[in-house]
Amino acid sequence: MSGLGDQVKGAVKETLGKFTGNENRQQEGHEQRAQGVGEQQLNQQQDNSSTGNKASSGMREAGGAVKENVGQAVGNQDMQDAGRQARAQGKGEQQL
């Protein structure tokens, strides 16, 4: 879950940096989000069992909900939309 957590934390830092004009915070957030994406992709490649896929789907759904709520809190429509999409994708994968 650290990959997903880093993605969400990084997205929040990046957005706050953008809104406050703090380029260092924005860059730090971008790097943390990218690292989270890499970790999550690596974890997904290593986990081929159906139990792992269901857990991953649940994490994607939960992470999407967090991202959607953070986007709403900071007024970032793109983040809200991305969160909504991730949540729907995770929910759909769980039904398979």
Side-chain angles (χ1 to χ4, degrees), residues 18-85:
K18 189 181 295 184
F19 282 136
T20 61
N22 184 334
E23 291 181 16
N24 289 335
R25 168 84 32 106
Q26 186 177 354
Q27 182 63 32
E28 179 184 326
H30 178 77
E31 290 170 3
Q32 186 173 10
R33 187 167 53 96
Q35 180 180 350
V37 169
E39 287 176 15
Q40 189 174 18
Q41 288 175 348
L42 179 62
N43 290 339
Q44 286 176 349
Q45 289 174 356
Q46 292 173 346
D47 187 9
N48 292 326
S49 71
S50 78
T51 302
N53 290 338
K54 287 181 183 178
S56 177
S57 298
M59 289 184 348
R60 183 175 291 113
E61 184 178 1
V66 169
K67 197 172 194 178
E68 183 179 358
N69 289 330
V70 169
Q72 185 176 15
V74 298
N76 184 328
Q77 187 63 46
D78 291 338
M79 185 182 288
Q80 277 182 286
D81 293 343
R84 206 172 285 121
Q85 183 180 10

